[in-house]
Amino acid sequence: MVALFASLADLHKPKSFAGLFGAAPSVALATLGLTIYTDGKSYAALEARSMIVGAFGFFLYACGCSYVMMRFKVPAIAATTSMLSVWLIFSVGVWLLFLR
């Protein structure tokens, strides 16, 4: 998985943005490995599901930021700050409905 994301990172510009594709999976896998070691597989499975929900929430956040900036010509700081609520509401809502 890390190699897949690293190759995906090579396709994107700028390279500072592309680094997210290489770093995030490595950090997630390391965190899950440490969680399995310290707390067991069932707890790590719960954490993995939470990571997936957070990642999907981030995807919605990124799409929303792009839409707001392109459609309404809002500055980046205003768009990213205002769209944080989308990420929070989605992630907390899914956690309350399905993961709790």
Side-chain angles (χ1 to χ4, degrees), residues 65-94:
C65 288
S66 297
Y67 177 77
V68 167
M69 286 190 291
M70 289 190 304
R71 175 78 169 100
F72 301 108
K73 307 294 185 211
V74 175
I77 190 71
T80 55
T81 305
S82 64
M83 293 303 291
L84 280 174
S85 61
V86 170
W87 188 359
L88 180 68
I89 290 169
F90 174 81
S91 298
V92 170
V94 170

Side-chain angles (χ1 to χ4, degrees), residues 48-70:
R49 286 191 300 259
S50 299
M51 285 181 186
I52 292 168
V53 169
F56 192 73
F58 178 74
F59 176 73
L60 291 177
Y61 162 77
C63 289
C65 288
S66 297
Y67 177 77
V68 167
M69 286 190 291
M70 289 190 304

